[in-house]
Amino acid sequence: MARLSREFYAQDTLEAARALLGKILVRRLDGEILAGRVVETEAYVGRCDKACHAYGYRRTARTETLFSQPGTAYIYLIYGMYHCLNFVTEPEGEPAAVLLRAIEPVAGIEAMARLRYGDKPLTAYRRKNFLNGPGKVCRALALTREENGLDLTGDTLFLCDCPEDAGLSPFPAAVRERVVTGPRIGVDYAEEARDFPWRFRLVKEE
């Protein structure tokens, strides 16, 4: 399976956050492939961003992973109940990452639905709100702090350019989309950084 290289993650975090849109995230779990198309990201850069956990190069047990080599999974827990997956970017020692905010399901949908909703049916409402938040994505992919520090160029969790690179069926005819940028969500505490337009979304054209 072809996957994004470490050099991809080593690029500028804002460029990586935009470039990740449309990529395929693959999680191999119990012999099954769970996959989704990245449709929303946020960038966090420790050297200048008060919303970043490692702002000002602050190293703690929680943030140590942010200083790892590019292409490392940084997973943390918020509110004591939701996990968030981030992709470490830039050269090793620079605390920066891209938060995965949302994906569209590509493969393993039934397994992801069980992980998200248990035995409840995948109604229209649940389908609409299936994977449209970082905590929802992690739950559907069974990602917790246990997976913090995973190598994104390995076999357990990785990204690739298209479904075929993961051995999956190609998409049908492409739908026209555009990239929308704006402020990140939930960072009102971050003073001037709360207004940084570092959230990137794919929006389908009418």
Side-chain angles (χ1 to χ4, degrees), residues 163 173 194 196:
R194 69 183 181 183
F196 290 177

Side-chain angles (χ1 to χ4, degrees), residues 1-4 26 28 33 153-155 158 160 164-168:
M1 294 185 182
R3 43 184 64 74
L4 298 187
V26 178
R28 299 180 74 173
I33 291 180
T153 66
D155 294 326
F158 58 90
C160 49
E164 296 93 315
D165 286 346
L168 302 171

Side-chain angles (χ1 to χ4, degrees), residues 115-187:
L115 289 164
R116 265 283 279 132
Y117 299 119
D119 294 330
K120 297 176 182 176
L122 191 58
T123 61
Y125 174 83
R126 293 192 183 109
R127 189 179 295 276
K128 181 180 178 181
N129 294 281
F130 189 12
L131 300 166
N132 60 346
K136 299 173 184 179
V137 171
C138 281
R139 185 165 184 176
L141 297 178
L143 294 173
T144 69
R145 285 282 297 169
E146 290 294 319
E147 286 70 45
N148 181 51
L150 268 180
D151 183 355
L152 294 169
T153 66
D155 294 326
T156 303
L157 182 70
F158 58 90
L159 290 116
C160 49
D161 285 315
C162 60
E164 296 93 315
D165 286 346
L168 302 171
S169 299
F171 289 138
V175 176
R176 290 179 60 87
E177 296 174 312
R178 58 190 173 90
V179 177
V180 174
T181 62
R184 294 166 296 182
I185 295 172
V187 296

Side-chain angles (χ1 to χ4, degrees), residues 16-109:
R18 181 184 287 267
L20 281 164
L21 295 176
K23 303 299 187 189
I24 307 300
L25 175 66
V26 178
R27 165 78 155 126
R28 299 180 74 173
L29 183 67
D30 299 331
E32 188 169 4
I33 291 180
L34 314 182
R37 181 171 177 260
V38 177
V39 294
E40 186 174 350
T41 61
E42 289 181 349
Y44 290 85
V45 181
R47 62 181 171 272
C48 62
D49 176 14
K50 293 177 182 175
C52 181
H53 294 162
Y55 171 63
Y57 296 89
R58 181 172 62 247
R59 296 184 89 128
T60 67
R62 183 194 200 196
T63 66
E64 190 61 34
T65 306
L66 277 171
F67 294 84
S68 301
Q69 62 182 341
T72 299
Y74 171 47
I75 302 177
Y76 60 85
L77 186 68
I78 58 171
Y79 310 130
M81 57 193 304
Y82 301 117
H83 289 90
C84 296
L85 169 62
N86 302 256
F87 312 122
V88 174
T89 52
E90 305 201 14
E92 186 171 356
E94 278 293 330
V98 176
L99 169 66
L100 178 63
R101 285 206 57 87
I103 62 175
E104 293 177 344
V106 171
I109 297 174

